[in-house]
Amino acid sequence: MTAGGIRDRFRAQMRQEVKDAALRQLADGGAGALSINAIAKELGVSGPALYRYFAGRDALLTELILDAYADLTAAISLASRPPDLAAAYRAWATAHPHRYRLLFGTPLPGYDPHHDGLTDAARQVMAVLRTSAEPGPEPAVALRTVGLWSRLHGFVSLEIEGNFRALGLDPDHYFAAEVDTLRSAR
C-alpha cells in the first residue's frame, strides 16, 4: 500500500469523524450549536488542525447539507408511487430531524444556503418529487410538484417540531388523511 493511499484513507476517515461530530452537535443543539472548536475538542485535536479537512464552518456545513440532500434523494427515490414517496419523505425527516432542519430550516446568519452546489442538490430532490406528478404540460407538472412538496414539507415540519403532539393530535392519523387527500387530488 502506498503512503498516499494511507494518507488518503486517513484524510477520508478524519473528514467523516468531523462530520459525525458535527451531526451530533446539530442533533443536540441545532445549527447554531455547530462549533469547529467543540468538534476539535471532541476529537482530541486542535481547532486549527481541522482546517486541514474543512476550510471552515461554512465548508463543513455545505458538506453536511450536500450529504443530507443526497440521503433524502436516495430515500425517496426508492418509492414507486406518490403515497410511498410521501411516506419515505416523512420517514427520512422524522428519523433525521436535525438533518431535515439543516435543509429546510432557518439558515445560519452569514451562510448562503442557495449557492449553486446546494441548489443543484435541492433540484435532485425536486426531480424525484416531480416523477410523482401526473404527466401534462410543463407549468402544470411544476405546479403539482411544488404543491406536493409544500404539503409534505408543511406536514413534516409541524410534526418534527412537536406541534401535533402538543395539541394532542396523532400525526400518523393526520398523515394518513393527508396521503388520502394527495391521492384524490391526482
Side-chain angles (χ1 to χ4, degrees):
M1 180 92 4
T2 66
I6 291 170
R7 274 194 294 272
D8 290 345
R9 281 198 321 273
F10 177 77
R11 178 176 176 75
Q13 177 184 344
M14 189 62 176
R15 285 176 57 83
Q16 189 58 53
E17 288 181 26
V18 170
K19 291 194 297 186
D20 291 344
L23 288 172
R24 284 190 293 279
Q25 283 184 2
L26 289 170
D28 291 343
L34 191 61
S35 164
I36 295 289
N37 286 332
I39 292 169
K41 184 176 180 180
E42 179 182 332
L43 298 179
V45 299
S46 70
L50 293 188
Y51 290 96
R52 284 184 239 152
Y53 307 102
F54 293 95
R57 182 205 70 169
D58 287 359
L60 173 58
L61 197 55
T62 295
E63 194 132 341
L64 294 173
I65 292 170
L66 289 171
D67 289 350
Y69 271 127
D71 290 349
L72 175 57
T73 301
I76 64 175
S77 292
L78 300 175
S80 59
R81 301 174 311 127
D84 299 333
L85 186 144
Y89 186 95
R90 177 185 182 222
W92 187 87
T94 57
H96 309 282
H98 57 292
R99 296 178 77 202
Y100 186 84
R101 289 182 193 106
L102 193 59
L103 298 180
F104 303 117
T106 304
L108 287 172
Y111 183 78
D112 177 15
H114 302 294
H115 66 73
D116 289 343
L118 296 180
T119 55
D120 289 345
R123 283 186 190 104
Q124 296 300 311
V125 172
M126 292 305 288
V128 175
L129 291 174
R130 181 185 179 84
T131 64
S132 70
E134 287 185 18
E138 176 52 37
V141 172
L143 182 61
R144 284 193 300 274
T145 302
V146 170
L148 170 66
W149 177 66
S150 297
R151 291 179 80 148
L152 282 173
H153 173 67
F155 186 93
V156 167
S157 294
L158 289 168
E159 183 175 8
I160 67 171
E161 296 307 332
N163 291 295
F164 292 122
R165 295 269 184 225
L167 295 172
L169 303 173
D170 176 13
D172 293 332
H173 171 77
Y174 287 96
F175 184 74
E178 184 65 15
V179 168
D180 287 343
T181 301
L182 291 171
R183 274 190 197 119
S184 66
R186 295 191 83 216

